[in-house]
C-alpha cells in the first residue's frame, strides 16, 4: 500500500517535504536552491517506492549512501540529514491516514515507512 500511495501523491509529498526542509532553522536546506531541495525530496521518494515495489532494501540503502556522500560534500551535518528524514515521515503520515484504508492497513503502511526511514538513516 505504501509504495502505491507514495507513487500517487509523489509530487505533493515531495513539495510538502521540500517546504518543511527549507523551513528548518539555521540549516543547509534553507540555504539550498529550492529546486535542488525539491529534486532531492522526489529522488528519495522514488528510491523508497522502487525499493518497496522490487522488494530490494539494497536499492534504498544505495540511494541513502549516495545521498549521505552528497550532503556531506555540501557541508550538511548528520543530525540535519536525519532530521530531514524524520520530516518525510511526518509529511507522509497524513496521506496514509487519509487514504481511506482500514486501521490495520494504515498501521502496516506506517510501520513500512518507519522501516524505510531506518534504512535511510
Amino acid at each position: 500500500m505504501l509504495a502505491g500511495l507514495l507513487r500517487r501523491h509523489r509530487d505533493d509529498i515531495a513539495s510538502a517535504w521540500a517546504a518543511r526542509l527549507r523551513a528548518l532553522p539555521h540549516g543547509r536546506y534553507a540555504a539550498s536552491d529550492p529546486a535542488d531541495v525539491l529534486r532531492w525530496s522526489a529522488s528519495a521518494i522514488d528510491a523508497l517506492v522502487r525499493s518497496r515495489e522490487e522488494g530490494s532494501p539494497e536499492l534504498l540503502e544505495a540511494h541513502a549512501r549516495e545521498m549521505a556522500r552528497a550532503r556531506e560534500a555540501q557541508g550538511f551535518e548528520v543530525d540535519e540529514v536525519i532530521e530531514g528524514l524524520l520530516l518525510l515521515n511526518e509529511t507522509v503520515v497524513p496521506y496514509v491516514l487519509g487514504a481511506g484504508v482500514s486501521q490495520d492497513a494504515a498501521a502496516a503502511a506506517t510501520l513500512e515507512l518507519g522501516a524505510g526511514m531506518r534504512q535511510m538513516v
Side-chain angles (χ1 to χ4, degrees):
M1 179 209 144
L2 179 64
L5 185 137
L6 290 173
R7 193 177 338 96
R8 267 191 315 282
H9 299 286
R10 175 196 183 262
D11 293 340
D12 291 337
I13 293 169
S15 293
W17 185 25
R20 294 180 89 166
L21 289 169
R22 294 207 15 90
L24 288 172
H26 313 294
R28 294 275 181 181
Y29 290 111
S32 298
D33 183 301
D36 287 340
V37 178
L38 179 58
R39 187 174 35 80
W40 301 337
S41 299
S43 174
I45 293 167
D46 291 344
L48 186 55
V49 168
R50 277 191 316 275
S51 173
R52 294 300 175 240
E53 286 180 340
E54 297 180 23
S56 174
E58 294 81 15
L59 288 173
L60 189 56
E61 290 166 8
H63 174 80
R65 279 192 301 278
E66 180 182 317
M67 179 188 68
R69 281 192 289 273
R71 297 306 157 265
E72 181 180 34
Q74 294 164 324
F76 280 74
E77 297 293 328
V78 171
D79 60 332
E80 186 174 12
V81 175
I82 292 170
E83 185 175 8
L85 288 171
L86 293 174
L87 287 176
L88 173 59
N89 188 60
E90 291 176 17
T91 304
V92 171
V93 166
Y95 286 88
V96 171
L97 297 177
V101 296
S102 71
Q103 187 175 1
D104 288 344
T110 302
L111 289 173
E112 189 177 345
L113 178 62
M117 296 299 93
R118 284 190 299 282
Q119 277 182 290
M120 284 198 267
V121 168

